[in-house]
Amino acid sequence: MTYSKQISLLLIRKKASTADEIRTLRQFAKKFTDVVCVRKLSLKTYIPCSSEVLYAQNSDLTDALNRAYKKIKTKWVFLLESDEVLQDDQILQKNLDSGCCYRALISNGDGKQKLMNYDLRLIPVLQDEKEPFEGSFLPDLTRFFFSSEFKLAETCLPVQKKDAFMDEGMLQNIIESDQRISPMEWYWRGIFHSNKNQYSKAIQAFRKALQHPLISYYHLSALNGLAHAYAKTDSYDEALRLADQSLKLEKHQFAPYLIKHKVYWLQKNWSGASAMLSDYLQTVQNDSNANLDVYLEPAEAHYILAELALLLHNREDAFTHFEKVYHMRPREADEYVREKLFIYAVELQKKEKATTYFHVLFANIISKDMDEKSTMRVLGGISLFEEKGWNQIACQLYEKLFQACPDSQKIMRRWMITLLRTNQVHKARQAAKTAGI
């Protein structure tokens, strides 16, 4: 399949590629009639292309991309780095006459975390544009986007990336640079300092980035980074103000809810903290519209909501959230969650669920080799059914327990008492005879 003849591929090679990556890139490049490769001088030519532009140092990449842009022969160009793979053929479905630029939704990691970053990747080739890329170390299309009068398309191109969104060496170059840096480089300085827990420096960097126009997903990320840094420096009012400002611009993101949740938690505003985490869970079902957004696993969010419900003296809500944790990751649910589910099911008069979670809690404990401590734990669990007057269930559980531990006189006596209490005299006699009593 060949992509539209209106689109060229601009391939960026910053570092050596593996054999598999080269094979994938070769196959992908064949789909374009025009391929321009920007590669570091130290790398070998492996990818067939129409023309190449070489560069020596990271600071030369911006200039190399501007020179490559002039070589593009089509009306549009798709940018791809050599450690990336376009996940499907959506480029073919894009309306190139819509007046929109298209961003890629770039993800990396092993799938357990949502590590995602947006970046402009399908852009027009404008005849009067000589240098679309700005920045000293980091090629930046911000000015190009705003000056081109193109809008940002709502749909994205899904791209899987192997390496980090910004390598440590590039970040270090930006930090150490004495040159006049671009707004996007101020943004990445903020990310760098925040990752290093240098929050005062992060505040300064994010504020400088926000003094300039940024594409929406970076603007939101900078606001969120600034709010996070203020929260970390105990400037709670400013953190809340910025989080609200970010949410007013865009509801479909994660960080502002989590920042407000954290601030409310620190202020012991349990209901506020719970509300923000509930809002987060409603939003996290879809992709965020902010770059480098933070992500909290839903199961972990429900765990925290359960703890907040307990602080608010709401056992019913606590049970609901603990149950969600268990159903989301039953094999990973710890002893604390299983125990709470059983105890609260009993307290809340949920007879069937109490029985279910009794087995969940004790299934791996009950055996003929149980020690005294384990035996007393299981018997204590069954006694909760008796305290609620659920004697028939207790009787059934004692019977199963005795079948597993037929030599235990303690279990036998408990079972006999419950049989008599439930008027099962005949069965009590048979059980006593079997046990030799």
Side-chain angles (χ1 to χ4, degrees):
M1 179 185 295
T2 301
Y3 289 130
S4 168
K5 293 182 179 179
Q6 297 184 69
I7 305 173
S8 295
L9 172 64
L10 201 167
L11 181 62
I12 306 165
R13 296 188 61 213
K14 300 177 184 177
K15 57 180 67 176
S17 303
T18 65
D20 285 342
E21 287 173 342
I22 291 169
R23 192 179 303 110
T24 300
L25 288 171
R26 281 176 176 168
Q27 289 297 115
F28 185 66
K30 289 178 182 179
K31 297 182 178 183
F32 294 85
T33 55
D34 182 44
V35 178
V36 177
C37 183
V38 173
R39 66 173 171 88
K40 211 164 190 177
L41 195 60
S42 57
L43 301 177
K44 295 181 180 180
T45 302
Y46 287 117
I47 314 300
C49 53
S50 309
S51 59
E52 284 190 309
V53 176
L54 310 183
Y55 71 100
Q57 303 297 330
N58 285 334
S59 57
D60 301 325
L61 178 56
T62 298
D63 176 63
L65 287 170
N66 282 328
R67 286 186 283 132
Y69 183 83
K70 295 175 186 178
K71 293 178 177 289
I72 302 298
K73 299 174 184 177
T74 56
K75 294 181 179 181
W76 288 80
V77 59
F78 175 62
L79 287 73
L80 190 77
E81 297 190 9
S82 57
D83 65 318
E84 297 172 342
V85 177
L86 181 66
Q87 295 293 93
D88 61 29
D89 292 318
Q90 284 192 20
I91 290 181
L92 289 171
Q93 303 168 20
K94 301 307 177 188
N95 181 3
L96 301 181
D97 296 320
S98 64
C100 292
C101 292
Y102 290 89
R103 55 187 169 158
L105 177 54
I106 308 169
S107 58
N108 70 6
D110 56 8
K112 294 181 180 179
Q113 291 185 326
K114 287 188 176 181
L115 302 173
M116 295 186 176
N117 191 54
Y118 293 102
D119 198 28
L120 276 188
R121 290 303 181 88
L122 184 57
I123 61 172
V125 179
L126 306 178
Q127 297 301 319
D128 58 347
E129 180 60 70
K130 296 180 179 179
E131 294 186 339
F133 296 92
E134 292 187 315
S136 53
F137 290 97
L138 176 67
D140 181 5
L141 285 167
T142 305
R143 181 202 58 79
F144 168 82
F145 173 73
F146 285 114
S147 64
S148 70
E149 298 184 357
F150 276 73
K151 298 178 181 179
L152 189 66
E154 292 185 5
T155 57
C156 303
L157 297 163
V159 170
Q160 182 70 35
K161 188 176 184 65
K162 179 182 176 182
D163 300 327
F165 298 125
M166 182 63 62
D167 65 74
E168 193 74 17
M170 182 73 81
L171 285 173
Q172 198 63 48
N173 286 334
I174 294 171
I175 295 300
E176 296 173 355
S177 174
D178 293 327
Q179 303 179 42
R180 180 177 179 275
I181 66 173
S182 71
M184 279 305 303
E185 286 170 333
W186 276 119
Y187 165 82
W188 282 106
R189 277 193 176 198
I191 296 295
F192 176 87
H193 289 307
S194 188
N195 289 342
K196 299 291 185 182
N197 300 326
Q198 299 167 348
Y199 296 112
S200 295
K201 291 182 178 180
I203 288 171
Q204 181 186 25
F206 283 129
R207 289 182 70 88
K208 287 189 175 182
L210 287 164
Q211 290 172 4
H212 304 272
L214 298 174
I215 301 176
S216 60
Y217 40 82
Y218 279 117
H219 182 83
L220 293 170
S221 183
L223 273 177
N224 297 339
L226 186 57
H228 173 71
Y230 273 120
K232 284 294 187 177
T233 54
D234 300 335
S235 301
Y236 298 144
D237 289 343
E238 187 65 5
L240 292 173
R241 184 187 71 80
L242 288 163
D244 284 334
Q245 183 180 338
S246 184
L247 285 173
K248 190 174 291 186
L249 293 172
E250 176 58 69
K251 296 292 185 184
H252 298 290
Q253 52 173 327
F254 312 146
Y257 299 107
L258 295 178
I259 291 167
K260 292 185 72 175
H261 157 76
K262 185 65 175 180
V263 169
Y264 288 146
W265 181 287
L266 292 170
Q267 294 176 333
K268 298 188 182 333
N269 178 355
W270 310 130
S271 58
S274 180
M276 285 302 103
L277 212 50
S278 295
D279 288 346
Y280 166 79
L281 282 171
Q282 291 296 316
T283 308
V284 79
Q285 298 172 25
N286 301 305
D287 289 329
S288 168
N289 284 325
N291 262 12
L292 297 180
D293 212 344
V294 292
Y295 176 73
L296 179 68
E297 284 191 9
E300 185 63 26
H302 281 293
Y303 186 98
I304 297 170
L305 280 168
E307 294 295 296
L308 284 166
L310 293 178
L311 290 168
L312 291 166
H313 309 292
N314 190 331
R315 294 287 179 94
E316 185 73 53
D317 280 357
F319 177 81
T320 297
H321 289 297
F322 277 131
E323 196 166 40
K324 286 183 182 295
V325 173
Y326 176 75
H327 287 307
M328 285 178 176
R329 51 183 192 190
R331 294 181 181 178
E332 300 172 21
D334 57 23
E335 185 82 3
Y336 175 77
V337 172
R338 296 196 297 270
E339 188 173 82
K340 291 297 183 186
L341 282 171
F342 170 59
I343 292 172
Y344 295 160
V346 173
E347 289 183 5
L348 296 168
Q349 305 284 341
K350 299 178 186 292
K351 190 183 297 186
E352 291 184 9
K353 289 191 174 183
T355 306
T356 297
Y357 291 120
F358 173 88
H359 292 297
V360 166
L361 181 60
F362 296 118
N364 294 330
I365 297 177
I366 296 174
S367 73
K368 64 178 181 179
D369 299 320
M370 276 195 306
D371 58 22
E372 182 66 18
K373 183 178 179 180
S374 296
T375 301
M376 293 309 297
R377 277 194 66 205
V378 177
L379 291 174
I382 299 177
S383 70
L384 294 181
F385 288 93
E386 294 178 285
E387 289 173 10
K388 287 293 181 182
W390 300 339
N391 292 311
Q392 190 62 46
I393 297 174
C395 191
Q396 293 169 0
L397 294 174
Y398 279 132
E399 183 173 3
K400 289 181 180 179
L401 186 59
F402 183 70
Q403 289 171 355
C405 310
D407 297 329
S408 173
Q409 293 299 309
K410 184 178 295 185
I411 295 172
M412 180 62 189
R413 283 195 299 272
R414 292 279 193 100
W415 182 29
M416 291 284 291
I417 292 170
T418 313
L419 283 169
L420 294 172
R421 189 180 293 155
T422 54
N423 296 318
Q424 299 183 64
V425 179
H426 178 68
K427 191 169 185 177
R429 289 172 178 168
Q430 285 184 323
K433 186 176 179 180
T434 301
I437 298 176

